[in-house]
Structures are given as structure tokens and as C-alpha cells.
Amino acid sequence: MRRLGLLVLGLVAGATTALAAQQSIAARLSGRASPEIVTLVQDLGSSAASRGLPVDPLIQKAIEGNAKGVPSERVATAVRLVYAQLDTAAAALRSAGLNSPPDTVQVAAGGFAITAGLGGRDIAELARTGRPAAAVTVGLRVAGTLAALGVPPTEAVTLVSASLRAGQAPGDLLALPGRVQSEMARGATPAQAAAGLARAAAAQARHGPPPHPGPPPHPPAPPHP
Amino acid sequence: MTKSEFDPQVKQLLDGELTLADLPAELRQEGEEALRLLAAVDREPLSLPAVTWRVMATLERRRQRRLTWLLAPALAAAAALVLWFGRPANPPAAASSAMVTVRFVLVAPGAHQVSVAGTFNRWDPSATPLVRSGSADVWVATLSLPPGQHQYAFVVDGVRWVPDPTAPAIDDGFGRRNSVLTL
């Protein structure tokens, strides 16, 4: 009897949470999407939430389409595509055998990387670097940004993986797109720029970071008269 | 560059409608050179000590309702810079939730109104207007954004959504491109 009570309580709580989520989606899309898009995002949002996928990217895409004056049918297609990309990213992260299931922030980062041109295998490879989840999340965003710059996915993943394995700080990872752009401005192709940086990161992983320049040595004491 | 006009597909690259990878092999060198020339426009701001990263965008010039790109006017008249400053090289993990100051600068000759819309302001073209600064053609806005990945586009005169052709850009799912800002 007590178990049945707990089960009912759980079902009611779940239904309440789902209803609240639907109302939240409707509120965020109020005046920013057509009724059919609101319904679609609510449906996909419920499914996403139950599967551990982030809902925000679906809402953002619906709002973006409306702001850009895109017809509803095309917005619907784009929202469904975002859902599929998030699903692919989550599956790839799970396949990497992480200790804990991917959180929605990490899945959103993976979804962005897939939008930018990476594949599920690329996502899994980055997740397998053994770095903390927060670092992998930054790595996914950076890899997607590199792909958005024109770096082929393989080179983008190689560079970010090497940087992650070298233990580079998030700030260093985030600087990679700018460094690739600098090399491109000097005439390198995106692939060449990324490959060069990847070699340096791999060397750093093997030999450790270059020595940090310390403070200048004290000047010698002036001779006593 | 001695050519006075770009190939139409290179113009599409500058408009952000294509990427280098989309260009036929014989046009890639021309496309890369065009992007390099455009990138040179914003080298001067690099002398600012606080600037650590920048992205440049160009705006197409309307001429008789058709997009016409000429090299000199393109370089001289249409560029957008996103200046990202204030980020330490190695921010401590505890500061990961700190906001990052981002300065959007757009050079938009002839524009009457410019704004930036993106994931950070619910894609609202009226939420973040740029203001004229210095030169009549220079439009500026400074925002504090959370770390993460943002997508955006400039909106000129309330109707033209302009991506940044030299910034990272991805398909927006609607046949256009969104610029990407990863903080």
C-alpha cells in the first residue's frame, strides 16, 4: 500500500513537472512563435526533457525563426533538426562511456558542434579524452567553433583532443579559434593552421608545458665602495 | 589585388552565404585572398592593449537593389568588428561564471539603424541597438555576456540580417548563416 502511494505520488509529481515545463515553454514563446510552433516545441520539449536533452536550444531556434520572418513550416523543420542534433550528441556522449551521464549543458555543446559539422564519432572522441566534464564541454564548443571557421572536423577534433590531453586551461582552449584565425590571416589554410597547433599541443602533452617565465632575477648588488 | 571585382561566389562568401569549403577549388584562393584583405582592415584595433580577439564582418552594399561588391568600397565601406576584451588568458575555474565584456562594432555606411540580435537577447532586433560612435558610419554596443557559446547576427535598418563573413559561422537552418561567439 505504501509503495502504491509512493508510485502515485511520483506520477503526480512527474505530471506536475511536465505541465510546468510546458507552461514555461508557452510563456517563453508567447508572442514569439505561431501557435503550431508553440505546440511543436512543447511536444519536442517534453520528449527532450524525458531523455535528458536540453530544451532551450529548441526554444531559441523557434524564436530565431520568428524574428527572422521565416515561415512556420521551415521553422518547424529547423526545430526538429535541432532536436535530432541534440539526440545525436547525447548518444555520442553516452557511447563514450563517461562515468556520469552527460548533463544538458554538455549535450547542448555537442549539439552545437554537430551543427557546425562534427559527427557523433567526433563528439565521442572528445569525450574520451578523460578530462573533466566541464573541460570537455568547453572542448566541444571550441571544436564546433573551429569547424565553423572552416577547419575540417578531423583536424578540429585532433587539435582540441591534443589540447585537452595536454591539460590546457579553458582560457587556452578558448583562444584556439583566434590563433587559427591569426594563422589563416598569414596565409595558412584552416586545416594547416589547426594541424600546426595540434602538433604543438601534442608535444606539450608529451613533454609538459613550456617553462613559465619567472620574475626577472634580482640585479647584482652594487659593489661596496 | 589587381582585380576590381570579385567572382559572384566570392561575393557570396563575403556576404556570409558561403564558406570557403563551399567554393569550387579554382575560387578558393581568390576567396581566401578576399578574406585576408578584409581581415587587414581591422588590424589597427589590435594595437589596443585590451583587445585579445576580434572578428570582422562585412556588409553588402546595395546598388540598384542588387548586391555589388567592389574591392575598394568593400574594404573601405563595409566592415564589422566584434572586439572581445577583458578575458584573462587562463581564467581560474572559480571565475567561470563571470560575465565577459564583449564590444560589438559595426561599420555600416548609409545605415540608419543597427542592432545585434542573438541567443543572448532572444533574437530581438530591438533589444540591443548599436549607437553611432566617432565616425558616422561606426556603430558600437558593449554587452556583458555569460561564458558559453552564443550565436548572433547584425540587423541593419531593421530588415537586413547580416552575418559576419570572417567570423566563425554556422548554418542557421533557414538558409542563412549565424555568427558564432564562444566565450
Side-chain angles (χ1 to χ4, degrees):
Chain A
M1 191 67 185
R2 190 176 172 187
R3 280 187 183 174
L4 182 64
L6 286 174
L7 180 64
V8 170
L9 196 62
L11 289 173
V12 169
T16 306
T17 304
L19 182 63
Q22 296 233 334
Q23 287 173 340
S24 170
I25 290 172
R28 289 184 63 185
L29 290 177
S30 176
R32 297 176 184 274
S34 65
E36 58 266 36
I37 294 299
V38 173
T39 303
L40 172 69
V41 176
Q42 284 178 321
D43 291 347
L44 290 177
S46 295
S47 172
S50 68
R51 302 184 63 170
L53 307 179
V55 178
D56 191 65
L58 306 173
I59 298 173
Q60 286 279 357
K61 188 54 68 180
I63 292 174
E64 179 191 347
N66 183 69
K68 291 180 174 178
V70 177
S72 288
E73 316 85 69
R74 200 156 182 190
V75 176
T77 303
V79 171
R80 287 193 183 96
L81 179 61
V82 170
Y83 181 95
Q85 289 167 335
L86 293 169
D87 200 32
T88 301
L93 288 166
R94 284 193 299 269
S95 76
L98 301 174
N99 290 332
S100 55
D103 61 27
T104 53
V105 175
Q106 199 171 40
V107 174
F112 159 69
I114 287 179
T115 306
L118 271 66
R121 286 184 183 179
D122 301 320
I123 306 292
E125 186 173 337
L126 286 171
R128 286 194 195 101
T129 51
R131 302 298 299 164
V136 171
T137 299
V138 173
L140 288 168
R141 289 176 182 148
V142 170
T145 305
L146 292 170
L149 274 172
V151 176
T154 303
E155 278 78 6
V157 170
T158 300
L159 171 54
V160 175
S161 295
S163 302
L164 283 168
R165 289 197 171 95
Q168 290 190 3
D172 292 328
L173 289 172
L174 289 166
L176 288 174
R179 294 175 67 188
V180 167
Q181 281 189 304
S182 296
E183 294 301 316
M184 289 165 62
R186 293 192 187 99
T189 66
Q192 289 169 339
L197 292 171
R199 281 193 293 274
Q204 182 182 338
R206 281 194 302 272
H207 307 299
H212 190 74
H218 292 292
H224 291 287
Chain B
M1 191 168 183
T2 55
K3 293 179 73 168
S4 61
E5 188 168 351
F6 288 126
D7 182 277
Q9 290 189 75
V10 175
K11 294 173 193 172
Q12 285 185 284
L13 170 73
L14 297 174
D15 287 337
E17 295 167 3
L18 295 177
T19 66
L20 273 174
D22 296 327
L23 290 181
E26 65 271 18
L27 284 178
R28 282 195 190 145
Q29 188 178 357
E30 183 180 338
E32 287 169 357
E33 186 163 1
L35 291 177
R36 272 200 300 278
L37 287 167
L38 286 166
V41 171
D42 76 334
R43 288 217 174 106
E44 292 217 349
L46 283 174
S47 62
L48 294 171
V51 174
T52 58
W53 191 75
R54 80 281 181 270
V55 178
M56 185 180 75
T58 59
L59 280 175
E60 70 268 32
R61 253 189 132 181
R62 281 179 188 258
R63 183 171 293 178
Q64 296 175 350
R65 293 191 174 188
R66 292 181 61 191
L67 296 176
T68 303
W69 274 92
L70 298 174
L71 177 59
L75 295 180
L81 309 175
V82 176
L83 305 179
W84 169 23
F85 56 88
R87 190 182 67 168
N90 291 298
S96 62
S97 60
M99 302 293 273
V100 181
T101 303
V102 180
R103 190 176 178 212
F104 295 87
V105 180
L106 177 70
V107 180
H112 300 290
Q113 183 186 345
V114 178
S115 63
V116 60
T119 49
F120 43 79
N121 63 7
R122 297 182 185 183
W123 295 98
D124 185 348
S126 62
T128 313
L130 277 66
V131 296
R132 289 183 193 272
S133 173
S135 160
D137 295 335
V138 180
W139 299 75
V140 181
T142 302
L143 301 179
S144 290
L145 300 177
Q149 182 264 320
H150 305 277
Q151 296 177 35
Y152 69 94
F154 293 110
V155 187
V156 177
D157 293 336
V159 292
R160 281 195 293 151
W161 290 77
V162 182
D164 186 336
T166 61
I170 58 172
D171 184 359
D172 70 353
F174 307 122
R176 299 180 190 172
R177 312 279 292 172
N178 284 338
S179 300
V180 171
L181 188 59
T182 304
L183 304 175

